[in-house]
PDB file of all heavy atoms in Angstrom:
ATOM      1  N   PHE A 280     -45.682  79.729 -11.611  1.00  0.00           N
ATOM      2  CA  PHE A 280     -44.439  80.599 -11.647  1.00  0.00           C
ATOM      3  C   PHE A 280     -44.799  81.950 -12.168  1.00  0.00           C
ATOM      4  O   PHE A 280     -44.326  82.982 -11.689  1.00  0.00           O
ATOM      5  CB  PHE A 280     -43.466  79.883 -12.594  1.00  0.00           C
ATOM      6  CG  PHE A 280     -42.169  80.709 -12.758  1.00  0.00           C
ATOM      7  CD1 PHE A 280     -41.280  80.832 -11.735  1.00  0.00           C
ATOM      8  CD2 PHE A 280     -41.868  81.258 -13.981  1.00  0.00           C
ATOM      9  CE1 PHE A 280     -40.057  81.618 -11.889  1.00  0.00           C
ATOM     10  CE2 PHE A 280     -40.716  82.025 -14.121  1.00  0.00           C
ATOM     11  CZ  PHE A 280     -39.827  82.189 -13.089  1.00  0.00           C
ATOM     12  N   PHE A 281     -45.683  82.035 -13.199  1.00  0.00           N
ATOM     13  CA  PHE A 281     -46.042  83.354 -13.836  1.00  0.00           C
ATOM     14  C   PHE A 281     -46.665  84.330 -12.846  1.00  0.00           C
ATOM     15  O   PHE A 281     -46.696  85.508 -13.092  1.00  0.00           O
ATOM     16  CB  PHE A 281     -46.938  83.102 -15.022  1.00  0.00           C
ATOM     17  CG  PHE A 281     -46.395  82.271 -16.103  1.00  0.00           C
ATOM     18  CD1 PHE A 281     -47.266  81.521 -16.914  1.00  0.00           C
ATOM     19  CD2 PHE A 281     -45.032  82.234 -16.380  1.00  0.00           C
ATOM     20  CE1 PHE A 281     -46.717  80.760 -17.942  1.00  0.00           C
ATOM     21  CE2 PHE A 281     -44.516  81.480 -17.444  1.00  0.00           C
ATOM     22  CZ  PHE A 281     -45.418  80.757 -18.234  1.00  0.00           C
ATOM     23  N   GLN A 282     -47.338  83.834 -11.811  1.00  0.00           N
ATOM     24  CA  GLN A 282     -48.144  84.653 -10.965  1.00  0.00           C
ATOM     25  C   GLN A 282     -47.444  85.773 -10.310  1.00  0.00           C
ATOM     26  O   GLN A 282     -48.110  86.741  -9.760  1.00  0.00           O
ATOM     27  CB  GLN A 282     -48.856  83.774  -9.897  1.00  0.00           C
ATOM     28  CG  GLN A 282     -48.038  83.137  -8.919  1.00  0.00           C
ATOM     29  CD  GLN A 282     -48.803  82.232  -7.974  1.00  0.00           C
ATOM     30  OE1 GLN A 282     -50.002  82.453  -7.691  1.00  0.00           O
ATOM     31  NE2 GLN A 282     -48.130  81.223  -7.371  1.00  0.00           N
ATOM     32  N   ASP A 283     -46.126  85.728 -10.245  1.00  0.00           N
ATOM     33  CA  ASP A 283     -45.346  86.825  -9.667  1.00  0.00           C
ATOM     34  C   ASP A 283     -44.863  87.826 -10.710  1.00  0.00           C
ATOM     35  O   ASP A 283     -44.054  88.749 -10.403  1.00  0.00           O
ATOM     36  CB  ASP A 283     -44.162  86.278  -8.932  1.00  0.00           C
ATOM     37  CG  ASP A 283     -44.500  85.456  -7.737  1.00  0.00           C
ATOM     38  OD1 ASP A 283     -45.567  85.754  -7.025  1.00  0.00           O
ATOM     39  OD2 ASP A 283     -43.812  84.441  -7.409  1.00  0.00           O
ATOM     40  N   PHE A 284     -45.358  87.700 -11.923  1.00  0.00           N
ATOM     41  CA  PHE A 284     -44.936  88.508 -13.039  1.00  0.00           C
ATOM     42  C   PHE A 284     -46.061  89.201 -13.748  1.00  0.00           C
ATOM     43  O   PHE A 284     -47.234  88.784 -13.622  1.00  0.00           O
ATOM     44  CB  PHE A 284     -44.118  87.636 -14.056  1.00  0.00           C
ATOM     45  CG  PHE A 284     -42.870  87.102 -13.625  1.00  0.00           C
ATOM     46  CD1 PHE A 284     -42.837  85.858 -12.894  1.00  0.00           C
ATOM     47  CD2 PHE A 284     -41.599  87.672 -13.830  1.00  0.00           C
ATOM     48  CE1 PHE A 284     -41.645  85.317 -12.423  1.00  0.00           C
ATOM     49  CE2 PHE A 284     -40.441  87.092 -13.446  1.00  0.00           C
ATOM     50  CZ  PHE A 284     -40.494  85.987 -12.670  1.00  0.00           C
ATOM     51  N   VAL A 285     -45.726  90.225 -14.518  1.00  0.00           N
ATOM     52  CA  VAL A 285     -46.515  90.717 -15.620  1.00  0.00           C
ATOM     53  C   VAL A 285     -45.919  90.120 -16.898  1.00  0.00           C
ATOM     54  O   VAL A 285     -44.839  90.296 -17.229  1.00  0.00           O
ATOM     55  CB  VAL A 285     -46.544  92.265 -15.719  1.00  0.00           C
ATOM     56  CG1 VAL A 285     -47.349  92.720 -16.951  1.00  0.00           C
ATOM     57  CG2 VAL A 285     -47.109  92.834 -14.444  1.00  0.00           C
ATOM     58  N   MET A 286     -46.723  89.202 -17.552  1.00  0.00           N
ATOM     59  CA  MET A 286     -46.287  88.512 -18.680  1.00  0.00           C
ATOM     60  C   MET A 286     -46.835  89.099 -19.952  1.00  0.00           C
ATOM     61  O   MET A 286     -48.078  89.269 -20.055  1.00  0.00           O
ATOM     62  CB  MET A 286     -46.683  87.018 -18.595  1.00  0.00           C
ATOM     63  CG  MET A 286     -46.154  86.228 -17.433  1.00  0.00           C
ATOM     64  SD  MET A 286     -44.371  85.918 -17.629  1.00  0.00           S
ATOM     65  CE  MET A 286     -44.382  84.937 -19.143  1.00  0.00           C
ATOM     66  N   THR A 287     -45.965  89.491 -20.879  1.00  0.00           N
ATOM     67  CA  THR A 287     -46.438  90.066 -22.194  1.00  0.00           C
ATOM     68  C   THR A 287     -46.059  89.172 -23.296  1.00  0.00           C
ATOM     69  O   THR A 287     -44.806  88.965 -23.577  1.00  0.00           O
ATOM     70  CB  THR A 287     -45.810  91.480 -22.358  1.00  0.00           C
ATOM     71  OG1 THR A 287     -46.162  92.256 -21.288  1.00  0.00           O
ATOM     72  CG2 THR A 287     -46.369  92.080 -23.641  1.00  0.00           C
ATOM     73  N   PHE A 288     -47.043  88.590 -23.963  1.00  0.00           N
ATOM     74  CA  PHE A 288     -46.856  87.692 -25.061  1.00  0.00           C
ATOM     75  C   PHE A 288     -47.083  88.539 -26.338  1.00  0.00           C
ATOM     76  O   PHE A 288     -48.201  88.815 -26.693  1.00  0.00           O
ATOM     77  CB  PHE A 288     -47.801  86.537 -25.042  1.00  0.00           C
ATOM     78  CG  PHE A 288     -47.528  85.506 -23.924  1.00  0.00           C
ATOM     79  CD1 PHE A 288     -48.094  85.714 -22.690  1.00  0.00           C
ATOM     80  CD2 PHE A 288     -46.706  84.430 -24.133  1.00  0.00           C
ATOM     81  CE1 PHE A 288     -47.878  84.787 -21.629  1.00  0.00           C
ATOM     82  CE2 PHE A 288     -46.464  83.532 -23.094  1.00  0.00           C
ATOM     83  CZ  PHE A 288     -47.066  83.692 -21.860  1.00  0.00           C
ATOM     84  N   ASP A 289     -46.054  88.836 -27.042  1.00  0.00           N
ATOM     85  CA  ASP A 289     -46.038  89.631 -28.275  1.00  0.00           C
ATOM     86  C   ASP A 289     -45.991  88.635 -29.394  1.00  0.00           C
ATOM     87  O   ASP A 289     -44.941  88.373 -29.975  1.00  0.00           O
ATOM     88  CB  ASP A 289     -44.922  90.675 -28.293  1.00  0.00           C
ATOM     89  CG  ASP A 289     -45.011  91.611 -29.481  1.00  0.00           C
ATOM     90  OD1 ASP A 289     -45.770  91.351 -30.456  1.00  0.00           O
ATOM     91  OD2 ASP A 289     -44.295  92.632 -29.441  1.00  0.00           O
ATOM     92  N   PHE A 290     -47.148  88.118 -29.855  1.00  0.00           N
ATOM     93  CA  PHE A 290     -47.195  87.211 -30.886  1.00  0.00           C
ATOM     94  C   PHE A 290     -46.994  87.830 -32.309  1.00  0.00           C
ATOM     95  O   PHE A 290     -46.530  87.168 -33.191  1.00  0.00           O
ATOM     96  CB  PHE A 290     -48.613  86.430 -30.914  1.00  0.00           C
ATOM     97  CG  PHE A 290     -48.681  85.518 -29.769  1.00  0.00           C
ATOM     98  CD1 PHE A 290     -49.639  85.746 -28.735  1.00  0.00           C
ATOM     99  CD2 PHE A 290     -47.931  84.330 -29.632  1.00  0.00           C
ATOM    100  CE1 PHE A 290     -49.748  84.884 -27.657  1.00  0.00           C
ATOM    101  CE2 PHE A 290     -48.032  83.478 -28.556  1.00  0.00           C
ATOM    102  CZ  PHE A 290     -48.994  83.758 -27.550  1.00  0.00           C
ATOM    103  N   LYS A 291     -47.157  89.146 -32.416  1.00  0.00           N
ATOM    104  CA  LYS A 291     -46.833  89.864 -33.591  1.00  0.00           C
ATOM    105  C   LYS A 291     -45.377  89.837 -33.885  1.00  0.00           C
ATOM    106  O   LYS A 291     -44.946  89.523 -35.086  1.00  0.00           O
ATOM    107  CB  LYS A 291     -47.220  91.365 -33.442  1.00  0.00           C
ATOM    108  CG  LYS A 291     -48.642  91.713 -33.667  1.00  0.00           C
ATOM    109  CD  LYS A 291     -48.851  93.174 -33.682  1.00  0.00           C
ATOM    110  CE  LYS A 291     -50.253  93.600 -34.079  1.00  0.00           C
ATOM    111  NZ  LYS A 291     -50.422  95.137 -34.073  1.00  0.00           N
ATOM    112  N   ASN A 292     -44.532  90.083 -32.850  1.00  0.00           N
ATOM    113  CA  ASN A 292     -43.135  90.131 -33.082  1.00  0.00           C
ATOM    114  C   ASN A 292     -42.332  88.896 -32.516  1.00  0.00           C
ATOM    115  O   ASN A 292     -41.120  88.840 -32.514  1.00  0.00           O
ATOM    116  CB  ASN A 292     -42.503  91.416 -32.410  1.00  0.00           C
ATOM    117  CG  ASN A 292     -43.080  92.673 -33.006  1.00  0.00           C
ATOM    118  OD1 ASN A 292     -42.913  92.941 -34.204  1.00  0.00           O
ATOM    119  ND2 ASN A 292     -43.793  93.462 -32.255  1.00  0.00           N
ATOM    120  N   LYS A 293     -43.169  87.947 -32.113  1.00  0.00           N
ATOM    121  CA  LYS A 293     -42.544  86.642 -31.604  1.00  0.00           C
ATOM    122  C   LYS A 293     -41.609  86.849 -30.441  1.00  0.00           C
ATOM    123  O   LYS A 293     -40.441  86.385 -30.468  1.00  0.00           O
ATOM    124  CB  LYS A 293     -41.877  85.874 -32.731  1.00  0.00           C
ATOM    125  CG  LYS A 293     -42.812  85.452 -33.873  1.00  0.00           C
ATOM    126  CD  LYS A 293     -42.164  84.694 -34.992  1.00  0.00           C
ATOM    127  CE  LYS A 293     -43.212  84.177 -35.991  1.00  0.00           C
ATOM    128  NZ  LYS A 293     -43.972  85.160 -36.638  1.00  0.00           N
ATOM    129  N   LEU A 294     -42.053  87.599 -29.475  1.00  0.00           N
ATOM    130  CA  LEU A 294     -41.343  87.921 -28.299  1.00  0.00           C
ATOM    131  C   LEU A 294     -42.155  87.705 -27.026  1.00  0.00           C
ATOM    132  O   LEU A 294     -43.393  87.877 -27.106  1.00  0.00           O
ATOM    133  CB  LEU A 294     -40.785  89.358 -28.329  1.00  0.00           C
ATOM    134  CG  LEU A 294     -39.756  89.667 -29.378  1.00  0.00           C
ATOM    135  CD1 LEU A 294     -39.675  91.193 -29.537  1.00  0.00           C
ATOM    136  CD2 LEU A 294     -38.364  89.082 -29.058  1.00  0.00           C
ATOM    137  N   VAL A 295     -41.513  87.431 -25.906  1.00  0.00           N
ATOM    138  CA  VAL A 295     -42.179  87.328 -24.632  1.00  0.00           C
ATOM    139  C   VAL A 295     -41.344  88.092 -23.588  1.00  0.00           C
ATOM    140  O   VAL A 295     -40.183  87.934 -23.587  1.00  0.00           O
ATOM    141  CB  VAL A 295     -42.479  85.899 -24.165  1.00  0.00           C
ATOM    142  CG1 VAL A 295     -41.207  85.090 -24.039  1.00  0.00           C
ATOM    143  CG2 VAL A 295     -43.372  85.862 -22.929  1.00  0.00           C
ATOM    144  N   MET A 296     -42.063  88.847 -22.700  1.00  0.00           N
ATOM    145  CA  MET A 296     -41.410  89.559 -21.634  1.00  0.00           C
ATOM    146  C   MET A 296     -41.868  89.078 -20.263  1.00  0.00           C
ATOM    147  O   MET A 296     -43.099  88.976 -20.034  1.00  0.00           O
ATOM    148  CB  MET A 296     -41.719  91.069 -21.798  1.00  0.00           C
ATOM    149  CG  MET A 296     -41.217  91.899 -20.624  1.00  0.00           C
ATOM    150  SD  MET A 296     -39.427  92.106 -20.557  1.00  0.00           S
ATOM    151  CE  MET A 296     -39.220  93.454 -21.702  1.00  0.00           C
ATOM    152  N   PHE A 297     -40.885  88.785 -19.412  1.00  0.00           N
ATOM    153  CA  PHE A 297     -41.240  88.485 -17.992  1.00  0.00           C
ATOM    154  C   PHE A 297     -40.832  89.738 -17.273  1.00  0.00           C
ATOM    155  O   PHE A 297     -39.702  90.222 -17.320  1.00  0.00           O
ATOM    156  CB  PHE A 297     -40.322  87.342 -17.544  1.00  0.00           C
ATOM    157  CG  PHE A 297     -40.534  86.014 -18.052  1.00  0.00           C
ATOM    158  CD1 PHE A 297     -40.152  85.678 -19.368  1.00  0.00           C
ATOM    159  CD2 PHE A 297     -41.074  84.996 -17.293  1.00  0.00           C
ATOM    160  CE1 PHE A 297     -40.417  84.428 -19.847  1.00  0.00           C
ATOM    161  CE2 PHE A 297     -41.275  83.716 -17.805  1.00  0.00           C
ATOM    162  CZ  PHE A 297     -40.897  83.421 -19.105  1.00  0.00           C
ATOM    163  N   ASP A 298     -41.795  90.301 -16.514  1.00  0.00           N
ATOM    164  CA  ASP A 298     -41.563  91.536 -15.762  1.00  0.00           C
ATOM    165  C   ASP A 298     -41.953  91.292 -14.320  1.00  0.00           C
ATOM    166  O   ASP A 298     -43.156  91.197 -13.995  1.00  0.00           O
ATOM    167  CB  ASP A 298     -42.388  92.689 -16.362  1.00  0.00           C
ATOM    168  CG  ASP A 298     -41.832  94.066 -15.938  1.00  0.00           C
ATOM    169  OD1 ASP A 298     -41.053  94.095 -14.954  1.00  0.00           O
ATOM    170  OD2 ASP A 298     -42.242  95.092 -16.556  1.00  0.00           O
ATOM    171  N   LYS A 299     -40.941  91.084 -13.430  1.00  0.00           N
ATOM    172  CA  LYS A 299     -41.231  90.647 -12.053  1.00  0.00           C
ATOM    173  C   LYS A 299     -41.743  91.802 -11.218  1.00  0.00           C
ATOM    174  O   LYS A 299     -41.218  92.882 -11.326  1.00  0.00           O
ATOM    175  CB  LYS A 299     -40.038  90.029 -11.430  1.00  0.00           C
ATOM    176  CG  LYS A 299     -40.258  89.411 -10.066  1.00  0.00           C
ATOM    177  CD  LYS A 299     -39.084  88.604  -9.564  1.00  0.00           C
ATOM    178  CE  LYS A 299     -39.372  88.000  -8.219  1.00  0.00           C
ATOM    179  NZ  LYS A 299     -40.519  87.037  -8.217  1.00  0.00           N
TER     180      LYS A 299
END
Side-chain angles (χ1 to χ4, degrees):
F280 179 70
F281 298 152
Q282 65 183 333
D283 294 326
F284 294 84
V285 175
M286 298 289 300
T287 303
F288 292 88
D289 185 345
F290 291 111
K291 277 187 176 182
N292 298 299
K293 297 181 173 59
L294 295 163
V295 61
M296 173 71 84
F297 293 72
D298 199 345
K299 189 171 179 60

